[in-house]
Amino acid sequence: MAKDFRTFIRQLEAACPEELLWVPGRISSDLEATTFLRKLELEGKAPMTIFRRPTALDGSDSAFPLVFNAFSSRKKFCAALGMDMADYKMTLSLKLKDCYAHRIEPVTVPAGEAPVKEVTVTGEACGFDKLPIPKHHEHDGGPYILGGALVTRDPDSGAYNLAMIRVHVKGHKIAAIHAEPHHHSGMNVKKYGERGKKAPVAIVIGHHPGFFLGSCWEGPYGTNEYEIAGAALGEAVRLTPSQTWGDELLVPADAEMIIECEVDWNDRIEEGPVGEHTRHYKNFKGGQVIQQLDPRLTPVAITHRKDAYFQSLFIGHAEHCLLGSIPKEAVIFEKVRATCPGIQAVHMTPGGCGRYICYLSLKQRVGGEARDAIMAAFVCDWHLKYVIAVDEDVDVFSDSEVLWALATRTQPDRATFVIPGAMGATVDPTVDSRTKISAKMGIDCTKPYGTPFSEVCEVPLDMLANMRIADYL
């Protein structure tokens, strides 16, 4: 049986039921649902939440349950990949890297075997009004489709691209899509626009997390990313002809919903503002909206399961952070290991939005190696602004452990170095969007190599490893 979103629900129920929350009460998709999630977050909770009775865009009761936080904890990823819950740290990141290395070609099935084809909506009824598309934050420009994967195809090579791209819904049949020309999906859409054509695209709503991990893969343009999604799923993605374009644009057969759309690269409409992964707005400053124009997107057909779920993503919060950071950890680990074989673990801490602060745990061979490792990490990912290196006895998946090392093993004038004038991320509120220039800081929190240093006070580690609290209760 093919993996899908329902498979993931069963995996959570079996492996970590505390990570799943069903909400039976009626709730508005306009800010109320995300306020509910934020309330949970402030209590230290982020279960995958399924609102059974959300409102639709037109204010009516939606037929589609609204889903958030499918990616909000590392244990959820372990469940999705069939791993032991205890392996949620570096083992998880390296497992995903190994998955990506073994691509699996997709297979095509007829529409009659595709669950996503159970219901088809075209014509005037085809639009956004009956969908529970949420408005996420108070100053957002409107409701956004954020949890879907955009399927585009290179008109030259035929290669499929998958990307999680935001869509600002502005009415029943009108939306703006944030297709940037330097992103692979934007490159595909632009090629159609340059030929005077509208680009055929599909938005995939609801699927197994493995499929979306494939959508977050970063690699060479021209790769068939359905193969990458299959690698993360551990099985071939089942595809079926789209309702509008048939075999010219194949779509995932086991999705909850497919929204087929045309994108006009040459027709620009206002997009935003919307919160970013930084939990700040990029184009809303000092109470003023900075106008941004993006291509117009028009829905032309919707197919879905009879009892489809509508999966979204809580932008700027835990699931947004983790979906982007876990794949990066394995890449940085491998690149740093080429310089520093003693690297033990890499963690892109959620406190750094999963992009800007990286922790390295390492066992140095010689003095100064920690600084080499820090510089190697900076080269791996231009988002990084701070890299902190600690000894192998420090758990980099614990912010308090890293801060303990910072507090007890460093002096600021000796432990830090700054690299000025480097490339930065334009969504970082501290980076000038015109120049894109950022400084980088490395912090070496390792003990001085080859010099006696104060010993750590600790209980016997063998006794700690073997002790079971339940035996004493």
Side-chain angles (χ1 to χ4, degrees):
M1 187 174 180
K3 292 179 184 176
D4 56 17
F5 178 71
R6 289 131 200 271
T7 306
F8 183 52
I9 292 177
R10 293 191 295 271
Q11 287 174 315
L12 290 184
E13 289 173 335
C16 46
E18 71 282 359
E19 294 275 5
L20 179 62
L21 176 66
W22 297 85
V23 180
R26 188 176 190 271
I27 198 163
S28 173
S29 301
D30 184 357
L31 295 174
E32 189 176 13
T34 50
T35 301
F36 182 99
L37 298 175
R38 180 66 170 146
K39 187 76 172 179
L40 285 177
E41 183 179 61
L42 292 172
E43 295 175 359
K45 304 170 186 175
M48 184 169 84
T49 303
I50 303 177
F51 297 103
R52 292 186 183 271
R53 298 176 57 209
T55 58
L57 195 65
D58 64 2
S60 64
D61 290 343
S62 177
F64 309 106
L66 176 60
V67 182
F68 283 100
N69 280 345
F71 316 110
S72 58
S73 72
R74 298 180 77 95
K75 288 186 177 180
K76 289 192 189 72
F77 285 98
C78 284
L81 295 175
M83 298 173 61
D84 190 292
M85 295 297 103
D87 292 332
Y88 69 91
K89 295 181 179 179
M90 199 65 222
T91 303
L92 168 61
S93 304
L94 295 177
K95 165 72 172 179
L96 184 58
K97 179 188 73 69
D98 290 340
C99 288
Y100 284 151
H102 298 87
R103 302 178 186 180
I104 301 176
E105 290 187 9
V107 297
T108 303
V109 300
E113 297 179 18
V116 79
K117 294 284 192 174
E118 290 175 349
V119 178
T120 300
V121 183
T122 57
E124 181 56 33
C126 172
F128 300 115
D129 276 357
K130 297 302 179 183
L131 305 181
I133 303 171
K135 182 177 179 181
H136 294 76
H137 296 103
E138 184 177 5
H139 298 296
D140 288 359
Y144 267 82
I145 298 173
L146 292 173
L150 184 75
V151 179
T152 62
R153 196 174 188 189
D154 182 348
D156 296 324
S157 70
Y160 283 93
N161 178 260
L162 304 176
M164 299 189 75
I165 303 296
R166 68 184 191 232
V167 175
H168 182 177
V169 175
K170 306 178 79 68
H172 181 51
K173 284 185 170 290
I174 180 172
I177 183 166
H178 190 56
E180 296 189 279
H182 59 286
H183 289 172
H184 295 173
S185 54
M187 291 167 65
N188 287 343
V189 172
K190 184 181 179 183
K191 285 184 178 182
Y192 283 94
E194 291 173 338
R195 299 169 193 189
K197 297 180 180 179
K198 296 177 181 178
V201 307
I203 304 171
V204 181
I205 303 293
H207 209 306
H208 191 272
F211 177 84
F212 291 106
L213 284 168
S215 304
C216 293
W217 177 80
E218 297 179 359
Y221 178 66
T223 301
N224 184 347
E225 295 187 10
Y226 277 138
E227 296 180 2
I228 305 299
L233 272 173
E235 64 183 35
V237 177
R238 299 198 323 151
L239 302 177
T240 196
S242 58
Q243 192 69 24
T244 308
W245 303 284
D247 291 337
E248 292 181 14
L249 190 76
L250 299 174
V251 297
D254 298 298
E256 294 295 310
M257 179 182 293
I258 300 291
I259 307 175
E260 299 178 11
C261 307
E262 291 180 335
V263 178
D264 189 342
W265 180 262
N266 301 307
D267 184 2
R268 299 297 172 119
I269 59 177
E270 189 169 359
E271 189 268 338
V274 66
E276 303 281 358
H277 61 253
T278 59
R279 278 180 51 209
H280 290 271
Y281 290 93
K282 179 181 178 181
N283 57 336
F284 181 57
K285 300 179 181 181
Q288 299 296 315
V289 175
I290 302 169
Q291 188 183 59
Q292 177 170 295
L293 300 178
D294 275 323
R296 178 190 293 266
L297 176 144
T298 304
V300 294
I302 297 176
T303 67
H304 62 82
R305 296 175 186 239
K306 292 177 181 177
D307 56 348
Y309 293 92
F310 192 91
Q311 185 176 346
S312 188
L313 180 141
F314 195 16
I315 193 168
H317 297 268
E319 63 172 337
H320 193 192
C321 162
L322 287 172
L323 193 57
S325 66
I326 292 175
K328 290 178 182 291
E329 289 172 352
V331 172
I332 294 172
F333 181 89
E334 288 299 313
K335 296 284 181 66
V336 172
R337 187 165 65 172
T339 296
C340 178
I343 186 76
Q344 304 295 305
V346 173
H347 183 42
M348 303 284 280
T349 174
C353 308
R355 308 290 192 281
Y356 304 115
I357 302 176
C358 177
Y359 300 154
L360 308 178
S361 169
L362 55 95
K363 184 174 183 179
Q364 294 190 88
R365 299 170 298 173
V366 294
E369 192 169 32
R371 295 198 175 212
D372 287 354
I374 289 171
M375 289 186 287
F378 279 133
V379 172
C380 292
D381 194 316
W382 51 268
H383 288 90
L384 290 177
K385 190 159 62 172
Y386 300 96
V387 177
I388 300 174
V390 297
D391 294 295
E392 70 273 17
D393 65 326
V394 178
D395 181 4
V396 292
F397 292 88
S398 167
D399 285 335
S400 62
E401 283 281 295
V402 174
L403 291 175
W404 167 70
L406 175 65
T408 64
R409 299 184 181 183
T410 68
Q411 281 293 317
D413 61 329
R414 300 196 297 268
T416 62
F417 65 93
V418 174
I419 303 170
M423 180 180 175
T426 57
V427 295
D428 178 349
T430 69
V431 171
D432 187 328
S433 60
R434 296 167 300 177
T435 65
K436 303 179 177 63
I437 296 299
S438 175
K440 314 282 187 180
M441 175 178 279
I443 307 176
D444 180 0
C445 298
T446 60
K447 293 178 288 188
Y449 184 83
T451 303
F453 193 78
S454 297
E455 298 292 341
V456 174
C457 53
E458 182 59 277
V459 299
L461 294 181
D462 56 344
M463 185 182 296
L464 182 65
N466 294 321
M467 181 168 286
R468 286 167 32 93
I469 297 298
D471 293 341
Y472 297 84
L473 301 178

